[in-house]
Amino acid sequence: MANLITPPRWRLAEQDVTPESVFWNRREFLRQLGFAGVGLAGLAGGARALAQAPHAPGAYPAARNAQFNDAKLRLSDADTVVHYNNFYEFTTRKDQVHRLVDKFQITPWQVEIGGLCEKPFKADVRELSAEFPLEERVYRFRCVEAWSMIVPWTGFPLAKLLAKVQPKAEAKFVKFVTAEKRDQMPGLARLREYPWPYTEGLRLDEAMNDLTLVTTGVYGKPLPKQMGAPVRLVVPWKYGYKSIKSVVKIELTATQPATLWETLSAEEYPFESNVDPRVPHPRWSQATERLVDTGDRVPTLPYNGYGDLVAKLYGKG
Ligand SMILES: Nc1nc2c(c(=O)[nH]1)N[C@H]1C(S)=C(S)[C@@H](COP(=O)(O)O)O[C@H]1N2
Ligand SMILES: [Mo]
């Protein structure tokens, strides 16, 4: 099971500076918007409105919501974060994901929201998120492999999207599914035994919690492909694998959905997966974590530091 069962490697192969235009796939965004060869300064009229849409460069940076950086966390270095990725659909090598995403097509991108709800719909991701104002939130992010980072995400609460589709009373869980594009994701064929597509799930009350963020950007820009463009989830009190990337489907269900990692190893990657320093992974301690950019080792916090907002979901606090 490759990296998730291998001791993490702290030395990054690639610390060198990459031009912004490369690591943010900026040219790609412009091409998708039909602005290839046109400078942003040249946009006018209707084009300007489009540039305000959540997936356009003009929508960024969104205003920071100060409520979600009360600890005044120091942001992790952006260049390190965008080149250190887990995205097994491409490769298990964290420093190589960004090199393998060129062929990954993120426009057009339909997202389907259905299952046990009154108003299911399917829409392009830009329409879907256009009605929800974007905000920036600084969250701690803790991978089960015991590395962590502090990231300014841009997005909107999943609760708003769920309110729009109106979950039925029978809905108790939310299932999320990543795109499965065989021709564009070389990792799918290499990890043949994995139960693709990548799926994740939350209880409905977890999904409705204000912290759970539908995420379209990072560091004040649209998400780069290696970080789960055009839309991913961020669930900061749970281990990183719950924060599923490049989502195409969201489904309300009555029963707990199977997830990729739980299917592979329920003992190591259970459905709930709240960050908990007292519960070791079967093969390593979860008491501390290593910040990806500085290499500093720091204590891991219960619920990754979000107990005041989520412990109540588990009958604690
Ligand atoms: N579809 C998909 N989503 C995924 C993963 C993946 O392999 N595929 N990896 C998960 C894991 S283990 C982590 S730690 C985070 C990493 O997100 P980042 O690369 O943006 O830091 O994405 C999560 N979401
Ligand atoms: Mo992870």
Side-chain angles (χ1 to χ4, degrees):
M1 241 185 300
N3 287 21
L4 286 183
I5 64 165
T6 316
R9 302 190 42 194
W10 310 126
R11 278 291 91 195
L12 298 181
E14 202 186 357
Q15 291 285 11
D16 51 316
V17 176
T18 307
E20 272 220 327
S21 58
V22 176
F23 80 69
W24 293 105
N25 304 312
R26 183 166 176 277
R27 201 184 300 136
E28 174 72 2
F29 285 114
L30 294 175
R31 190 187 63 71
Q32 289 152 12
L33 292 166
F35 300 148
V38 180
L40 274 179
L43 299 180
R48 196 178 298 126
L50 186 52
Q52 301 307 313
H55 294 277
Y60 294 84
R64 187 172 291 181
N65 183 338
Q67 198 193 327
F68 293 97
N69 193 14
D70 50 359
K72 303 281 183 288
L73 300 167
R74 177 200 56 82
L75 299 186
S76 296
D77 172 61
D79 189 53
T80 304
V81 167
V82 303
H83 294 109
Y84 189 81
N85 306 109
N86 272 334
F87 203 165
Y88 279 20
E89 286 88 335
F90 294 92
T91 174
T92 56
R93 296 179 58 189
K94 297 189 212 317
D95 61 346
Q96 295 299 310
V97 178
H98 72 97
R99 295 188 193 283
L100 293 170
V101 295
D102 284 355
K103 277 206 285 176
F104 182 37
Q105 290 290 324
I106 57 168
T107 308
W109 190 275
Q110 297 279 305
V111 180
E112 189 183 343
I113 304 161
L116 298 171
C117 61
E118 301 295 344
K119 306 219 158 122
F121 71 96
K122 186 169 181 170
D124 190 87
V125 67
R126 273 178 269 180
E127 294 167 44
L128 172 149
S129 43
E131 50 188 292
F132 307 111
L134 294 179
E135 55 180 83
E136 184 176 79
R137 296 181 176 194
V138 177
Y139 282 166
R140 296 181 193 84
F141 188 95
R142 171 58 156 86
C143 176
V144 73
E145 298 165 325
W147 53 264
S148 68
M149 54 197 189
I150 297 160
V151 183
W153 302 106
T154 306
F156 58 89
L158 177 63
K160 291 192 182 177
L161 190 54
L162 293 174
K164 181 179 157 77
V165 298
Q166 299 174 21
K168 291 185 175 169
E170 312 92 85
K172 299 284 183 256
F173 294 88
V174 188
K175 175 185 172 182
F176 305 87
V177 185
T178 294
E180 183 180 9
K181 302 187 182 209
R182 296 259 150 200
D183 56 328
Q184 299 168 29
M185 295 172 146
L188 295 175
R190 301 186 104 219
L191 296 170
R192 206 181 310 265
E193 73 282 17
Y194 275 39
W196 305 114
Y198 195 104
T199 48
E200 258 307 335
L202 294 171
R203 292 182 350 206
L204 183 58
D205 60 346
E206 296 174 327
M208 294 290 291
N209 188 273
D210 191 31
L211 280 171
T212 306
L213 200 69
V214 176
T215 301
T216 60
V218 71
Y219 289 100
K221 309 233 170 84
L223 284 171
K225 293 181 187 178
Q226 66 270 23
M227 292 194 76
V231 63
R232 71 178 296 174
L233 200 67
V234 176
V235 192
W237 73 96
K238 293 177 180 284
Y239 289 119
Y241 53 89
K242 301 295 288 187
S243 292
I244 182 172
K245 295 179 169 180
S246 304
V247 170
V248 290
K249 194 172 173 191
I250 300 175
E251 189 183 347
L252 289 135
T253 65
T255 55
Q256 184 175 303
T259 76
L260 177 132
W261 283 109
E262 199 199 13
T263 304
L264 285 169
S265 179
E267 195 195 324
E268 296 176 296
Y269 312 109
F271 184 85
E272 187 171 87
S273 292
N274 293 328
V275 174
D276 190 343
R278 295 158 306 187
V279 179
H281 183 277
R283 285 174 290 109
W284 60 84
S285 167
Q286 295 291 27
T288 64
E289 62 202 49
R290 185 104 168 165
L291 283 154
V292 286
D293 57 338
T294 61
D296 291 346
R297 187 162 279 281
V298 298
T300 289
L301 303 170
Y303 302 107
N304 203 24
Y306 298 103
D308 54 338
L309 297 170
V310 299
K312 59 178 184 279
L313 294 174
Y314 311 101
K316 292 162 189 161

